[in-house]
Amino acid sequence: MNNQQTEVKCDKCGAEFAAELLHANKGELHASYLRCPECGAIYPSYITDRALRKVIKDYPGAAFREHKRRRVAELKRKHSKSLKAMDGWTEERSRQ
């Protein structure tokens, strides 16, 4: 893994500095930003509230469930004849 920090240049004063993501909270808002150490200029990275953080937290699980649902549907379509044949075969076997 590369441990080098990204160098950025301040648009306000032209100073170059290592990008270090800072964080601040105010009420339910959470902000991440860069700050120029020379002039104090602030460069917001992102701001979230409680509702957005919940969506972000839940997203990977929801995306996986949707992928799984689509994949199962695709496999059912692709193998529908085989599945019907297997259903008939298992019914016959259970009657014996």
Side-chain angles (χ1 to χ4, degrees), residues 68-85:
K68 183 177 162 184
R69 184 194 67 75
R70 287 181 182 179
R71 182 71 176 133
V72 167
E74 175 188 331
L75 290 172
K76 282 182 178 179
R77 280 192 306 277
K78 185 176 180 180
H79 300 289
S80 63
K81 289 181 183 177
S82 299
L83 290 171
K84 287 177 185 175

Side-chain angles (χ1 to χ4, degrees), residues 7-26:
E7 289 287 317
V8 294
K9 185 175 183 178
C10 179
D11 292 336
K12 186 174 178 184
C13 72
E16 292 186 6
F17 59 97
E20 180 182 343
L21 201 57
L22 303 172
H23 306 279
N25 295 306
K26 185 170 184 177

Side-chain angles (χ1 to χ4, degrees), residues 55-74:
V55 169
I56 292 168
K57 180 181 174 191
D58 293 344
Y59 178 76
F64 175 75
R65 286 189 299 276
E66 178 62 17
H67 170 74
K68 183 177 162 184
R69 184 194 67 75
R70 287 181 182 179
R71 182 71 176 133
V72 167
E74 175 188 331

Side-chain angles (χ1 to χ4, degrees), residues 7-55:
E7 289 287 317
V8 294
K9 185 175 183 178
C10 179
D11 292 336
K12 186 174 178 184
C13 72
E16 292 186 6
F17 59 97
E20 180 182 343
L21 201 57
L22 303 172
H23 306 279
N25 295 306
K26 185 170 184 177
E28 72 171 43
L29 295 179
H30 176 82
S32 293
Y33 59 95
L34 301 175
R35 174 181 285 156
C36 174
E38 295 297 319
C39 70
I42 293 179
Y43 298 92
S45 177
Y46 60 87
I47 299 172
T48 62
D49 63 4
R50 184 172 300 164
L52 181 55
R53 286 191 298 275
K54 180 171 177 10
V55 169

